[in-house]
Amino acid sequence: ARQSRTLANADDAALASVLADAPKKKEKGGAAPPEPEPPLISHPNVNPGVLAGAVVARVRADSAAQITAIGPQASYLAARAVIYANEYMSEELKGKVLAILPSKHQTGRGDTTANLFEVRAVQNVKVPKAPDAVVASITPVPALAKYLSKSFEENKKKITLSGLRAKSINVALKAAGRAEPKLAVIPTLAEFEDKGKTLTRMMLTCVRAPK
């Protein structure tokens, strides 16, 4: 993938210039530290390439980025943005990879909650060709979270989930956010054969989050 992917049209170029305006580092001379940057926002129509550019800018400035997403499509596109961000930073990360540390986030609008994705570098791991579990849109989040927790209680080093559509990826990310111990999720895309057709699915490799 090339950097040109981030600029789909003129509107996206303008958005990129705003989102990628990374927070400034504290200047020498006793200046007060800057206010924390608000999370980046993923929405159902966001260009994941543009969002990836903003993630890269934040990670380069602060070693981490945060993304909020409400709903399956927004969460799916946020995960794709992290995949693209990994492509853009592959030479910089040197044996590491950007991962998502998912959790729940109160939006301040009634009872509405969002997915909060903290993005930071973790040690890279080999993604298997076949997932340990295939997630469907109807997979219960609590059951999947229990499966992940039990797997790591049994000293599994990693568990890879896969899904084809936004709803299944949203289920997987929510479950990873509920599991114990705290997990980091490495998103990738992989092709596979099904009934003579080549399809692409998202793979989510879960590892223990760094302390």
Side-chain angles (χ1 to χ4, degrees), residues 39-134:
L40 302 169
I41 298 174
S42 180
H43 56 80
N45 297 314
V46 75
N47 182 315
V50 173
L51 184 56
V55 168
V56 169
R58 292 277 178 95
V59 169
R60 283 173 176 162
D62 290 337
S63 301
Q66 288 186 325
I67 307 171
T68 58
I70 299 176
Q73 185 66 14
S75 296
Y76 174 79
L77 291 174
R80 284 194 77 109
V82 175
I83 293 172
Y84 297 160
N86 268 316
E87 293 175 3
Y88 304 153
M89 297 188 72
S90 59
E91 295 183 3
E92 300 173 47
L93 291 172
K94 296 179 180 178
K96 292 191 174 185
V97 65
L98 295 180
I100 297 167
L101 282 66
S103 61
K104 203 183 274 189
H105 173 66
Q106 291 297 136
T107 63
R109 292 180 289 175
D111 296 330
T112 303
T113 59
N115 287 326
L116 177 64
F117 301 142
E118 181 181 358
V119 182
R120 59 174 59 250
V122 301
Q123 199 65 38
N124 201 0
V125 297
K126 185 177 181 180
V127 178
K129 291 184 178 180
D132 296 293
V134 177

Side-chain angles (χ1 to χ4, degrees), residues 25-38:
K25 290 290 184 180
K26 179 180 177 180
E27 296 181 2
K28 294 181 180 180
E35 291 293 322
E37 287 289 312

